[in-house]
Amino acid sequence: MAILGDILEELGVVALEYHSDQTFHVLGNHRSWFSHLLEKIEPFSEGACTILQKDEFCLKFPFIENFLIDAEVSWTEPNHESIRSGLWTETTHSDDEYQLEACACWIDGQSILLIENHSNSFVQHHAVYQKARDIALLNEKLVSELNQRQRELQNEIEQRILHDASILGVAESIKGNTSAVMICQADGKVEVMNNALVDIYQIESESDLKRASLLDQWMQEAEEQYPELKNVIEKGSYWEGEFESIGSEGSSHWIRLTIGPVKESSGVVSHYVCVANDISAFRQTDTNLGGGFDITTRLPNRRHFWQHINRLIEKTLPEGKGIGLLYIDLDYFKRVNDDLGHQAGDFLLSAIASRISRGVKHSDFVAHLGGDEFAVVTMMIQDSEQLLSVANRLLESIHEPLSVDGQPITMSASIGVSMTFEEKFDSTLLVRQADLAMYTAKELGKGQSLFYESNMDYNIPHKLQREMELLEAVERNEFVLYLQPQISVCSTEKMRVEALIRWQHPEKGLLAPGEFIAIAEESGLIIPIGEWVLRSACDMGADLVSNGKPISIAVNISAKQLKHKDFYDSVVTCLETSGYPADLLELEITESCFLDDLDAVIVLIQRIRVLGVTISLDDFGTGFSSLNYLRQLPVDFLKIDQSFVQEISIDRQSQAIISFVINLAHELDIEVIAEGVETDEQLNFLIDRKVNFIQGYLFYRPMPLDDLEGCLSKIEDLCGENPALGVRTI
Ligand code: C2E
Ligand code: CA
Ligand code: CA
């Protein structure tokens, strides 16, 4: 054993044997780096053997915790191949860093965990890898800025066509633009194009292009990689994406393209506006760096996936064997990413990527198509049952809890499945079918897998359609602001309300934010919507002030909105144009605003507070690090989330948390608002704990401005009294 220990030491490996009493026994003696790490755990010894408790081990090394979930599964299936964790970094008490990788294997009837120290080679690789990643990220950032510019230009041109009917005027204005622009009639005939387009395609005279419609060519090229494209366009929706395009000389370009319809008021499409940029330079470096692999998950990317699947057409499978495709899309990933920050999002993607890879055969092909989409191509399939069982196994493994910064997170996914037995199959069709089945699975409630069926309606553009609808709502001004009073428990100084948005939908009636805010955030429409909210709240507030009713209005600000570069300016503008006093305006932000870049957000908020505007921290307690950094955050109010309030009567823990939070906040000079108060019991408890304001159905539901004005004097009476004794309106 001693010599084994020396050999392992030489290799930088420590071997641990896992026992059914949830302990790990270190095999052989360990020295140097592992002892150094173990200082965190304080293991105990039995004779010469060092023993670690699993719980303690997981607590101090959270990465191991995630890996052990998978490892334990593999140890119960002795035929399973060994599995690896991927690299992670561990810091010791004295701040030394170690780059480690774990491997779980089954040797001679024993569950073995190997921990390998890769620190030396890591330092060298890391420098190179980090550079590559920086460049790749910079590329992505540039492409995404370009994207934004394309969308703005697209929108601008659409508006001009709609409002200033002269196409010639529009043509003149885009002549020198660096983005390629093409405007087609509804039948695809090119009406206008600019010089940049001629540059990309090296076309001598405009007429060449006009003859062979470039739109058709683009559609064909793009459709090979985005099977949904045609349907999106046919339904009159907007599309954007990137694809490889062949120029007139046969040269290939990576084109980033947006296609948007211009609709007359009758809803008929009159033109298509296409904005394109040549992004070959970015994609070229990408390929050099990653060689067709996704930088986060290290899986083959979308391009690589298409190459692979097109190559399969040349393979002949034995009679009766087919090719199966699983299209996997994580549910609510966007929200996790926004709430926890990109780093955590990347971590989740890598963890799920490795679960998918481990859940399929070695010969299967797993790709990361981008964002939260993955695909598995599997060969030698007998029937759909076999494929569905693979899909369900993947769903289960994705659903196993993961831990991010010590916080348990459970993910789910929707999987679409398609299959072909044809020798010369149509790869685009196979992908389209799996994609369609995946969308149907999502529509039916997520977290499930579905096999493609021919009667599935092609409703991929659903989401896009909802986005379009929302965009129209912005243009048609279909939003209204409701106001919900906050009753002051201990003073009468100021009257306060929270502004809550509603959508007066032409068909569906009044919609609550739960039905559209998430789509608005995902699509970026939260920026114009949020600006409308801010402006309307200030206008309302200014009107109230001029009627002798100075009421403080709290406006909800989403993280995306806060981080938008023009946010500060728009606050200033709204205050100036409305004349609403800054010290009556309050912004409600959530902890997720601080996640990505704590320091920058603090600076921004401090600037806003200098204007006199107050800040409240919304949904407190549902976030991720809460109390730890409350001291650092420049906020005036803290809103205890309704979930705690609603558990007051049943859960002593919620009671304890509320009391603790109120005390801590008061110590930091932060006032506390309790929201979602619905019962007398909750009210009494909160008053007892010296909460400052109460918001909830017990007093008032959110209401339109007119209704609010009708009950202002009653609210005034309630404030400052012990509201528990006062008049009550529901
Ligand atoms: P929130 O900021 O936590 O707002 C409080 C929500 O709780 C509101 O729901 C309110 O109607 C509801 N509520 C108030 N009192 C009670 C009560 O006693 N019991 C119960 N069960 N619920 C109560 P609403 O209006 O549906 O808004 C939902 C969320 O949508 C808001 O949660 C906020 O995050 C978001 N939101 C609303 N308006 C805006 C907006 O203008 N901009 C942004 N970015 N988000 C908004
Ligand atoms: Ca709020
Ligand atoms: Ca809230």
Side-chain angles (χ1 to χ4, degrees), residues 98-324:
Y98 287 99
Q99 278 70 39
L100 307 173
E101 181 166 18
C103 170
C105 44
W106 176 263
I107 300 172
D108 206 13
Q110 313 275 15
S111 309
I112 302 291
L113 181 72
L114 300 175
I115 300 185
E116 305 165 356
N117 178 5
H118 291 284
S119 309
N120 288 338
S121 57
F122 179 82
V123 173
Q124 298 149 16
H125 288 157
H126 188 66
V128 177
Y129 178 68
Q130 193 55 36
K131 256 261 117 43
R133 196 180 154 91
D134 286 349
I135 296 172
L137 286 176
L138 182 65
N139 266 348
E140 277 315 312
K141 190 160 166 269
L142 291 173
V143 171
S144 102
E145 278 170 17
L146 186 87
N147 236 350
Q148 197 54 36
R149 282 217 311 274
Q150 278 191 342
R151 284 181 205 143
E152 282 163 13
L153 180 62
Q154 162 101 36
N155 196 20
E156 201 183 301
I157 297 172
E158 268 176 49
Q159 293 306 321
R160 293 200 59 170
I161 297 179
L162 274 177
H163 297 123
D164 149 20
S166 143
I167 283 285
L168 275 181
V170 178
E172 195 54 37
S173 71
I174 54 167
K175 210 165 152 190
N177 210 299
T178 49
S179 290
V181 179
M182 178 167 80
I183 302 172
C184 305
Q185 290 167 357
D187 60 4
K189 206 155 123 224
V190 179
E191 196 158 339
V192 172
M193 50 184 199
N194 68 352
N195 294 337
L197 187 68
V198 177
D199 286 347
I200 295 183
Y201 283 90
Q202 306 282 315
I203 305 235
E204 295 297 328
S205 74
E206 286 192 6
S207 56
D208 284 348
L209 240 172
K210 278 187 181 159
R211 261 185 271 127
S213 163
L214 189 54
L215 183 63
D216 274 348
Q217 182 191 333
W218 276 347
M219 293 278 285
Q220 250 173 34
E221 289 169 334
E223 214 196 350
E224 276 176 26
Q225 289 170 46
Y226 298 88
E228 77 276 16
L229 172 66
K230 214 177 199 131
N231 291 275
V232 175
I233 302 295
E234 273 167 11
K235 295 215 169 174
S237 295
Y238 170 89
W239 182 87
E240 61 177 54
E242 57 185 68
F243 56 91
E244 212 168 356
S245 174
I246 306 299
S248 59
E249 324 270 88
S251 54
S252 122
H253 304 267
W254 275 95
I255 301 289
R256 162 119 224 141
L257 173 67
T258 66
I259 306 180
V262 181
K263 287 191 202 164
E264 289 162 1
S265 53
S266 60
V268 173
V269 174
S270 68
H271 290 88
Y272 287 103
V273 176
C274 308
V275 180
N277 284 84
D278 188 340
I279 54 165
S280 310
F282 299 122
R283 289 300 164 244
Q284 198 52 48
T285 6
D286 247 26
T287 316
N288 292 345
L289 289 172
F293 288 83
D294 181 86
I295 206 115
T296 316
T297 57
R298 307 199 189 177
L299 286 177
N301 60 19
R302 191 178 191 107
R303 264 168 284 151
H304 198 151
F305 165 77
W306 278 101
Q307 279 165 3
H308 178 83
I309 200 158
N310 285 328
R311 245 182 256 134
L312 287 184
I313 305 177
E314 282 135 40
K315 289 211 170 127
T316 335
L317 285 180
E319 185 71 18
K321 300 280 181 190
I323 293 174

Side-chain angles (χ1 to χ4, degrees), residues 602-654:
I602 290 181
V603 170
L604 170 67
I605 287 179
Q606 269 156 346
R607 275 179 75 206
I608 293 175
R609 286 174 91 210
V610 169
L611 299 171
V613 174
T614 51
I615 305 289
S616 64
L617 192 57
D618 203 357
D619 302 340
F620 190 77
T622 58
F624 307 100
S625 14
S626 316
L627 294 166
N628 298 341
Y629 67 136
L630 184 59
R631 285 167 214 280
Q632 296 179 49
L633 306 184
V635 301
D636 307 277
F637 296 87
L638 184 154
K639 298 186 77 174
I640 299 184
D641 190 65
Q642 359 186 317
S643 57
F644 292 101
V645 173
Q646 269 144 27
E647 293 201 331
I648 285 177
S649 54
I650 37 174
D651 180 18
R652 291 185 61 83
Q653 219 177 348
S654 287

Side-chain angles (χ1 to χ4, degrees), residues 484 498 500-502 513 517 526 533 556 558 618-619 642 646 675-678 696-697 702:
Q484 186 179 30
E498 174 176 6
L500 293 157
I501 192 170
R502 301 287 179 265
I517 287 289
I526 193 69
V533 172
N556 289 283
S558 86
D618 203 357
D619 302 340
Q642 359 186 317
Q646 269 144 27
E675 59 177 0
V677 180
E678 292 180 350
Y697 295 170

